[in-house]
Amino acid sequence: MIELEGVPELIDPVMVAAFEGWNDAGDAASAAVGHLDREFKGEVFAALDAEDYYDFQVNRPTVWMDGGVRQITWPTTRLSVVRIETPKPRDLVLIRGIEPSMRWRSFCNEILGFAHELGVEMVVVMGALLGDTPHTRPVPVTAVTSDPDLATALSLEESRYEGPTGIVGILQEACTHAGIPAVSLWAAVPHYVSQPPNPKATLALLNRLEDLLDLRIPLGELPEDARAWQVGVDELAAEDSEVSEYVQTLEEARDTAELPEASGEAIAREFERYLRRRDPQAGDQDASPYLRDTSPKPDTGTAGQGNVARPDRDAPGKEGSADADTPADADGEGTASTENTENTENTDKDE
């Protein structure tokens, strides 16, 4: 039974979700939702029952002291609401949690129940995957949907992915079958530096979310963290000639593939973002039947990159990781290396 006492009437609500684990390379997606929650002072109004969805031997609870009293925090998924005022008021329902260990269909149905009760207009699920992309270039972010009409309306890619999936893919399909417009945003994280955090990828996801929903998100120290992260990876890569050569190879491949991106359209997109940040009223003309405008986005970051992994010369593409040159496959179903990434064998979650 869903009880929403204390939740105010929401304005054009959009649900934004991210889950730690297989679909969250570098913790980039969960960090993006966490940033929104902190910047807009989110208020938690609900949490899913951890007993129903988590294996506590896989995702263990933590014990901590509160004024001399021991407290336990259980792994779960929490819902909070934030209001964004510029360029016009709009509410975001934020979902942040850990990919469930079991009962995925019930998990998605419970989230959809909240979406229906709150009058959510669209669901945006963010994820991050490992890819053959250089850390020195803008982070590729791909926006995909399973809804052909939504893809046309918002100039998105229609998902053609086939293969193993995570909770992000399952939730997106559940939304589509329930008649709720749903979009997935996927950031490609360099596979050779997959340790969290990755503020550069987090920043790229937030920039793309701004474009998709026509919002203005305060970025705080995130741009500086992204620069520091890249400098740190540069220094680590410079210590290993093999890694340096591999990064250069990725740079050349990326630059060749994206020559058309150095176009008037790309420059205009960046200029529109610049104007939006200077003038919150700018760029609010063409509202789509679903939401607003969309266009790809670069950049993100915080230090803590750890060691740079040496590339495998014979198999640079790694099973399950995404090639930055094939964004149509970026349905989020890449591999992710995070501390909370447990087993990926739970794709058949049943009740």
Side-chain angles (χ1 to χ4, degrees), residues 91-106:
D91 289 309
L92 299 183
V93 178
L94 304 180
I95 298 181
R96 187 183 183 190
I98 304 170
E99 183 177 64
S101 306
M102 61 194 81
R103 301 186 181 93
W104 284 19
R105 287 177 291 189
S106 297

Side-chain angles (χ1 to χ4, degrees), residues 20 44 54 67 80-81 109 209 222 287 301 331:
E20 299 173 21
V44 175
Y54 295 101
S80 60
V81 63
N109 286 337
L209 185 68
L222 204 49
D331 192 22

Side-chain angles (χ1 to χ4, degrees), residues 311-333:
D312 183 342
R313 290 289 183 180
D314 296 326
K318 270 158 293 330
E319 181 181 356
S321 64
D323 189 331
D325 296 333
T326 56
D329 289 340
D331 192 22
E333 331 304 355

